[in-house]
Amino acid sequence: MASPPDTPGSFSAFHECERIFAQWGYPFQDYSESFRQSLDTVCRCSRFFLGVVKRDAHVIPLLASLFEGHTSERNPSADLQQRVAEVADRNGLMRVLRQWRNREMAIIAWQDICGLLDIDSVLTRISETAESAIRTALDWLFDDACRRWGVPRRKDGSAQSLVVLGMGKLGGYELNFSSDIDLVFAYVEDGEFPGRNGATYAEFYTRLAQSLVHVLDAVTEDGFVFRVDVRLRPFGESGPLVVSFDSCERYYQAQARDWERYAMVKVRAVGGDAGDGREFERFFHPFVYRRYLDYRVFGELRSLKARIMAELRRKDRGDNIKLGAGGIREIEFIGQAFQLIRGGRNVELQDRRILVVLERLGRLRLLEHGTASFLCAAYRFLRKVENRLQQYEDKQTHELPVSEERRGLLAFSMGFESWEGFLHRLDEVRRRVHEIFTEVIAEPPQPARGEPLLDGGEAELSQALAGFDGAAEAMTGVLVKFRASAPVRRLGAGARAELQRVIGKLLAELAAFRVSDPVGVLGRILELFESIAGRGVYFSLLAENPSALSQLVRLAAASPWIVRLIAGAPILLDELLDPRTLYSPLTRESLGREADILFSSLAPDDDEQLMLRLRQFKAAHQLRIAAADIMNVIPVMVVSDYLTDLAEVVIERVLRLAWKFAAARHGIPPVEAETSVDFPGFGIIAYGKLGGIELGYGSDLDLVFLYDGVASDAVTDGPRPISAAEFYARVVQRMVSLLTADMPGGALYEVDLRLRPSGSSGLLVSKADAYENYQLHQAWTWERQALVRARFVAGDPKVGVRFDAIRRNVLCRERDSRQVRLDVRTMREKMREHLADRRPGVFDLKQGIGGIADIEFIVQFGVLISAAKHCEITRWTDTVRLLDSLRAINFLELGQADRLRCAYCDYRGRVHRLALQEMPALAASSEFPEHRTAVEAVWKQIIEAPVF
């Protein structure tokens, strides 16, 4: 070991040892020089050790015996059991556990710092210490609970104890010195105690688990045993503390979150019935290790990496040896990534211990042997540093010290002559670990095949692209620009090799697919690759799944919008793996079920993660709809139906989050009976394209909010009561914020609230009575036109019924047709003047003469002047069915209705396709001549006629 640093604190350690020996009656000079030196060294490096030696007279003879080599005579676990057997009450149990724990941890610190145990053995000994404490405490508490409340029994009559599952480092025998322990509590068979007022086993085991956590975690005058973390249980902090086997099975089969696979890699029974523990371990096995190479885990890896990188960006994480760049977490991630991708097929990787996994990765050549060996050595080095940091004061820290004295002691305890020498070595280790971490994010690199597309000169590229005839030169320029980009230049060797393979296959696909614009398609896809270059797993996915790359080429050739959608959410590449689902959008019911599963799989209080996943959910289903649209799998009307259904499902889930947020703070307003349990008294009304079931790919949401069945000044029933009107306004504000927040993947939707009564100057939420009064007596004609397309989409169904009644009452009023015609014509002329593209040779599909807006205005005019005698036509809100309704009452002739419907569908189909091309809704003036003539003729006959 290096020479000890010469500091005032260090100088006093030797004399302190002499004083402690004298205190306990042990002549300091009677012990060997080497033993005394070991004590001096450890006392310098660990105030915790020094404190234990001061308090416990039995530690010194134990250390001396161990120093002499008498290790086989010790059995710490048996010693603890013997001491606990003499305990009379829970206070005694807690005292014995803490004193035993402190003694054992002091011995481990002494053995570690003096080099008597290697780091592997140290981690194992700490884990065994924790497990012994858990088992012994649980056994005592279980017996005590049985005496108090009875014995829970299985169906065969045998006693059934609680099962304690160790997660994380405890499960992998890798606990650091001052680690907390991650525990999950479970039991196999449920039941009730006879004759005890129906008390359930769940209640018994919950009390037992609470007692165990308290006994281990509580801080007393003797300290603590181990800090306990129970947040890894199903549903996290919001879930029950103890779960039965059946509920556990349901959760992990249907609702478990992505990251829980990582947590379960190391799961191990550490207390309770051994047989039951093994049953739980067997259950988790297929959840963690998939039968085949699990390409869908790539998305999970991306999410986990994003979380790690977010930690690295935190201001104070630079010197964190666990979470910082090149730290312990990155090594663990490398090993677990291979385990989750390949562990189902390579059973050798199904091990809880990260060092074993890394060594086997090298042996299996999934990692270079030298890389695997380096990672093992780096892991041992970093775990040793971690222990030294925590042994100083028995505190859970991973930050490097800032004081000169502490830095000198850390370097000394690690065997370095100086802090500078230690830091140089640490930086080298972390730099190399981080390099490997950034490279080995995907499956191991395979030899690049084909032309040197990423490394060759322009002449070689031109030769490789010779088959593209006149496009070869332009494609060469695109590739040269791509490979010179910063993201591509930063690629590690593994990701670069995978990209090489992908580009070779991409060019083959472009040639085979015979795209009309190979330069443009190549450019789009390479822009996508550039945006995902930091997540090399997707190159592996595309390289090893030719069908996925083929689908990408087809979609990119048809739509730059789809490529941009994928670039914003690369996890969508998973959707390309199965064409059966890619071209099969889900129905409203199926969307709802999938959204429910999504929400139930996430922590209910993690709004940020819920919103991120909801954005991915929306993007994935937009991709399916667009893919089916492009390939003509679904007609244009169904495209809007699917987009509308998707928006409604998203709105309902966002409403749930916003409502929960407001209700948690303020409670809910008092409402009348027979209102919805979920959103009493509150309703969301969709206007515009959403209301008309005619949503497009880039449409915003026109929304109006109502409440009914409660007085505006009624007060909520929560801890911070507010008026009902204010409560509903806060729900709306939260909804709009969640929908429009700029997060990874962008906003969910843009929201327009200007169609509410009095527009932008009006209240965010209207009472139903006030809304009805406004619509009847104050609304402009254009507002009643908008009401034609309005419908209830979410909230309390009773509010929906009230809105439908208001809408019918307003629309079915008798009106002066001449005044309505004048108002409609005037408004349409203003819109053409301000919104239409009037350039020569251009036809504005939406605002041009004979376009979509003309058809919609004709329909709205027809409803406003006809509904008084034919109120049944107000049943629908979409233009196509309203055209049919107006034909049915003879407002339109059969030929007129058919021509308008045909024009409307064709126009909307073109608008959808242009949106997918990221182009404005414009056509050449020479296009759609028959449609435009027909629409203009009906407009002149109905809207511009002098009388009706």
Side-chain angles (χ1 to χ4, degrees):
M1 179 170 283
S3 301
D6 186 13
T7 66
S10 303
F11 176 76
S12 64
F14 190 88
H15 299 288
E16 187 70 12
C17 289
E18 284 187 308
R19 193 188 66 78
I20 294 170
F21 271 58
Q23 169 188 327
W24 298 121
Y26 303 124
F28 192 53
Q29 298 303 323
D30 288 356
Y31 292 88
S32 67
E33 174 65 25
S34 54
F35 176 62
R36 285 183 290 150
Q37 183 61 50
S38 74
L39 293 177
D40 178 52
T41 297
V42 180
C43 285
R44 292 171 187 269
C45 300
S46 174
R47 289 182 178 177
F48 164 76
F49 174 86
L50 184 60
V52 174
V53 173
K54 286 180 179 180
R55 294 190 303 271
D56 190 340
H58 301 287
V59 173
I60 291 174
L62 270 174
L63 296 178
S65 176
L66 290 170
F67 194 80
E68 296 294 331
H70 305 299
T71 56
S72 60
E73 299 173 7
R74 287 197 76 238
N75 187 334
S77 181
D79 175 54
L80 176 62
Q81 293 171 12
Q82 180 180 347
R83 292 170 181 270
V84 168
E86 301 170 2
V87 165
D89 56 26
R90 188 173 298 183
N91 288 335
L93 173 66
M94 294 175 70
R95 184 170 54 255
V96 167
L97 283 168
R98 280 154 180 74
Q99 291 174 353
W100 176 85
R101 179 264 182 192
N102 289 337
R103 182 180 302 168
E104 290 305 314
M105 295 302 285
I107 291 171
I108 293 171
W110 173 72
Q111 292 174 315
D112 186 14
I113 295 172
C114 292
L116 301 177
L117 288 179
D118 60 35
I119 189 62
D120 298 17
S121 301
V122 170
L123 301 180
T124 300
R125 282 278 290 110
I126 297 171
S127 303
E128 289 172 344
T129 301
E131 186 173 349
S132 294
I134 293 167
R135 290 188 182 278
T136 305
L138 176 62
D139 290 345
W140 191 95
L141 292 168
F142 179 74
D143 291 342
D144 182 62
C146 289
R147 285 192 297 270
R148 292 169 179 265
W149 305 311
V151 181
R153 298 190 180 278
R154 310 173 198 276
K155 293 183 176 65
D156 63 4
S158 60
Q160 175 183 259
S161 183
L162 181 70
V163 174
V164 182
L165 300 171
M167 317 288 280
K169 289 185 172 64
L170 174 60
Y173 292 99
E174 297 161 343
L175 278 184
N176 42 284
F177 190 84
S178 195
S179 176
D180 55 9
I181 52 177
D182 297 300
L183 302 180
V184 172
F185 303 109
Y187 60 98
V188 176
E189 295 184 17
D190 213 340
E192 294 184 357
F193 291 97
R196 290 186 175 272
N197 300 320
T200 65
Y201 288 1
E203 294 169 326
F204 174 93
Y205 290 124
T206 298
R207 291 194 196 106
L208 179 57
Q210 289 169 339
S211 297
L212 179 60
V213 171
H214 177 74
V215 164
L216 296 174
D217 187 87
V219 179
T220 71
E221 62 182 7
D222 296 305
F224 59 93
V225 185
F226 282 92
R227 304 176 191 87
V228 179
D229 190 336
V230 295
R231 291 175 297 175
L232 291 181
R233 66 187 187 271
F235 297 110
E237 291 180 284
S238 63
L241 181 61
V242 182
V243 292
S244 68
F245 184 91
D246 289 341
S247 62
C248 195
E249 184 175 33
R250 288 192 298 270
Y251 176 81
Y252 284 104
Q253 286 182 351
Q255 298 173 292
R257 292 155 285 186
D258 294 340
W259 60 263
E260 289 177 286
R261 285 187 66 199
Y262 293 86
M264 290 299 166
V265 167
K266 296 178 182 292
V267 65
R268 178 172 64 88
V270 295
D273 185 272
D276 289 350
R278 287 191 294 272
E279 185 173 354
F280 274 98
E281 290 174 6
R282 285 192 295 270
F283 163 75
F284 288 121
H285 189 272
F287 170 68
V288 175
Y289 298 111
R290 307 293 166 82
R291 183 174 300 177
Y292 305 105
L293 288 179
D294 185 10
Y295 294 111
R296 290 194 180 271
V297 80
F298 292 161
E300 301 164 18
L301 297 181
R302 181 194 64 80
S303 298
L304 182 56
K305 182 185 176 185
R307 290 198 293 273
I308 291 175
M309 298 312 290
E311 285 288 335
L312 299 181
R313 287 192 293 270
R314 291 175 58 177
K315 294 180 180 178
D316 61 346
R317 292 301 185 187
D319 287 333
N320 189 297
I321 62 163
K322 178 181 178 181
L323 298 177
I328 296 167
R329 176 66 60 80
E330 292 190 352
I331 299 177
E332 293 169 341
F333 181 85
I334 292 167
Q336 289 179 345
F338 281 105
Q339 284 184 285
L340 293 176
I341 294 171
R342 293 187 171 270
R345 295 178 65 179
N346 296 100
V347 294
E348 303 97 321
L349 300 180
Q350 296 176 10
D351 198 285
R352 302 181 182 94
R353 298 160 297 178
I354 185 64
L355 286 171
V356 172
V357 171
L358 292 172
E359 290 166 358
R360 290 177 180 173
L361 287 172
R363 191 167 69 245
L364 294 170
R365 297 185 180 179
L366 296 175
L367 279 176
E368 292 290 336
H369 180 74
T371 299
S373 297
F374 169 80
L375 288 175
C376 288
Y379 183 81
R380 291 184 171 101
F381 178 82
L382 292 171
R383 294 307 304 274
K384 192 174 179 181
V385 175
E386 179 186 44
N387 272 358
R388 294 294 188 274
L389 289 171
Q390 297 179 358
Q391 285 161 349
Y392 185 68
E393 290 182 320
D394 195 18
K395 291 183 179 179
Q396 190 180 26
T397 179
H398 295 89
E399 307 292 338
L400 294 177
V402 294
S403 72
E404 291 298 323
E405 179 183 356
R406 285 284 291 112
R407 286 180 169 183
L409 286 173
L410 177 58
F412 164 63
S413 68
M414 289 294 296
F416 288 84
E417 292 290 343
S418 66
W419 168 254
E420 289 73 18
F422 162 75
L423 189 61
H424 178 73
R425 174 59 179 155
L426 177 64
D427 288 344
E428 281 186 338
V429 168
R430 294 173 67 188
R431 178 186 55 78
R432 179 61 182 137
V433 167
H434 190 60
E435 286 178 355
I436 298 170
F437 171 75
T438 56
E439 293 173 5
V440 189
I441 201 72
E443 292 188 57
Q446 300 184 25
R449 290 188 286 270
E451 300 80 12
L453 298 172
L454 291 181
D455 303 311
E458 291 191 30
E460 294 171 293
L461 284 178
S462 298
Q463 184 177 357
L465 296 168
F468 288 94
D469 300 326
E473 183 177 351
M475 292 175 73
T476 298
V478 171
L479 271 168
V480 168
K481 181 181 177 182
F482 168 72
R483 69 185 190 182
S485 66
V488 174
R489 286 188 285 106
R490 287 196 298 264
L491 285 175
R496 191 175 183 83
E498 291 297 270
L499 178 58
Q500 180 84 294
R501 294 175 59 205
V502 172
I503 292 181
K505 294 182 178 183
L506 170 61
L507 295 178
E509 285 289 340
L510 288 171
F513 192 58
R514 297 182 182 276
V515 295
S516 58
D517 179 19
V519 179
V521 176
L522 177 64
R524 292 172 197 166
I525 295 177
L526 292 185
E527 284 182 12
L528 168 63
F529 287 175
E530 188 174 328
S531 71
I532 65 173
R535 289 155 282 186
V537 289
Y538 295 120
F539 296 146
S540 294
L541 184 153
L542 293 171
E544 299 188 15
N545 289 274
S547 63
L549 186 59
S550 176
Q551 299 303 330
L552 179 60
V553 169
R554 296 179 69 188
L555 295 175
S559 170
W561 180 88
I562 287 182
V563 178
R564 186 167 57 84
L565 181 70
I566 296 173
I571 198 171
L572 297 183
L573 288 169
D574 279 347
E575 298 291 330
L576 306 182
L577 293 171
D578 189 351
R580 293 172 298 178
T581 59
L582 176 61
Y583 299 104
S584 301
L586 296 182
T587 63
R588 169 65 189 270
E589 292 73 20
S590 297
L591 281 170
R593 285 194 297 271
E594 188 169 309
D596 288 339
I597 293 172
L598 168 69
F599 266 48
S600 64
S601 69
L602 298 170
D605 295 327
D606 190 351
D607 284 0
E608 182 177 0
Q609 186 62 23
L610 287 168
M611 294 312 299
L612 285 172
R613 293 292 294 274
L614 194 55
R615 278 159 172 74
Q616 293 174 358
F617 170 84
K618 178 205 171 189
H621 291 286
Q622 276 190 319
L623 175 62
R624 290 188 185 187
I625 296 165
D629 182 8
I630 286 170
M631 300 306 164
N632 296 313
V633 176
I634 53 177
V636 62
M637 295 300 297
V638 179
V639 171
S640 288
D641 288 350
Y642 280 127
L643 290 170
T644 301
D645 288 344
L646 177 60
E648 290 181 25
V649 168
V650 170
I651 288 170
E652 183 175 339
R653 272 61 190 179
V654 171
L655 171 57
R656 290 187 186 278
L657 290 175
W659 188 275
K660 181 186 70 173
F661 179 84
R665 287 157 176 75
H666 308 292
I668 59 174
V671 292
E672 298 174 352
E674 300 179 4
T675 55
S676 166
V677 175
D678 292 328
F679 317 109
F682 182 73
I684 301 176
I685 312 303
Y687 276 67
K689 288 184 170 57
L690 178 60
I693 318 176
E694 297 161 351
L695 216 60
Y697 291 106
S699 298
D700 57 8
L701 305 181
D702 295 298
L703 301 177
V704 169
F705 303 92
L706 302 179
Y707 68 96
D708 193 29
V710 58
S712 300
D713 57 355
V715 176
T716 59
D717 60 2
R720 288 183 282 173
I722 55 177
S723 70
E726 188 176 358
F727 172 83
Y728 291 127
R730 293 194 180 185
V731 171
V732 172
Q733 289 168 341
R734 183 67 173 173
M735 275 196 72
V736 173
S737 174
L738 292 173
L739 285 167
T740 60
D742 188 11
M743 301 177 70
L748 277 168
Y749 291 96
E750 295 301 324
V751 178
D752 192 337
L753 306 182
R754 291 175 295 176
L755 290 176
R756 66 187 187 271
S758 301
S760 300
S761 62
L763 298 173
L764 277 179
V765 192
S766 300
K767 194 169 181 2
D769 292 340
Y771 176 83
E772 182 175 25
N773 180 71
Y774 178 87
Q775 291 292 344
L776 288 171
H777 304 298
Q778 301 177 53
W780 297 88
T781 297
W782 67 263
E783 291 178 284
R784 292 173 179 142
Q785 285 181 251
L787 190 62
V788 171
R789 305 171 77 184
R791 63 190 177 89
F792 171 82
V793 292
D796 185 344
K798 191 174 181 180
V799 177
V801 172
R802 178 71 196 281
F803 168 75
D804 289 342
I806 294 171
R807 179 174 175 271
R808 281 195 303 273
N809 185 27
V810 173
L811 294 180
C812 296
R813 290 290 176 105
E814 193 73 44
R815 291 184 172 82
D816 181 347
S817 63
R818 288 172 297 183
Q819 184 61 49
V820 174
R821 179 182 289 108
L822 176 62
D823 291 344
V824 168
R825 187 170 63 237
T826 300
M827 176 56 68
R828 185 70 194 97
E829 288 171 355
K830 288 181 179 179
M831 290 176 64
R832 286 197 190 113
E833 181 180 350
H834 292 96
L835 301 177
D837 191 321
R838 299 171 173 271
R839 289 177 297 170
V842 171
F843 170 47
D844 189 324
L845 290 162
K846 293 183 178 180
Q847 299 297 334
I849 295 175
I852 291 174
D854 282 356
I855 299 172
E856 292 173 345
F857 269 52
I858 291 169
V859 168
Q860 291 158 14
F861 171 74
V863 172
L864 289 178
I865 68 168
S866 305
K869 294 181 180 179
H870 303 280
C871 199
E872 70 275 9
I873 66 175
T874 64
R875 176 184 178 186
W876 308 113
T877 61
D878 61 286
T879 301
V880 170
R881 282 184 290 194
L882 284 171
L883 282 169
D884 292 338
S885 298
L886 292 171
R887 164 66 189 88
I889 64 170
N890 295 316
F891 175 82
L892 291 173
E893 299 173 3
L894 176 61
Q896 288 178 323
D898 287 344
R899 286 190 290 275
L900 290 179
R901 184 192 310 105
C902 184
Y904 190 71
C905 291
D906 285 352
Y907 288 160
R908 280 181 53 204
R910 175 65 68 86
V911 169
H912 282 320
R913 297 301 173 86
L914 288 170
L916 292 175
Q917 292 293 329
E918 297 186 320
M919 297 175 66
L922 304 173
S925 58
S926 58
E927 294 186 85
F928 303 111
E930 293 182 3
H931 289 341
R932 294 164 63 189
T933 299
V935 173
E936 190 172 358
V938 176
W939 177 270
K940 288 180 179 179
Q941 179 180 341
I942 293 178
I943 304 298
E944 295 184 359
V947 293
F948 185 77

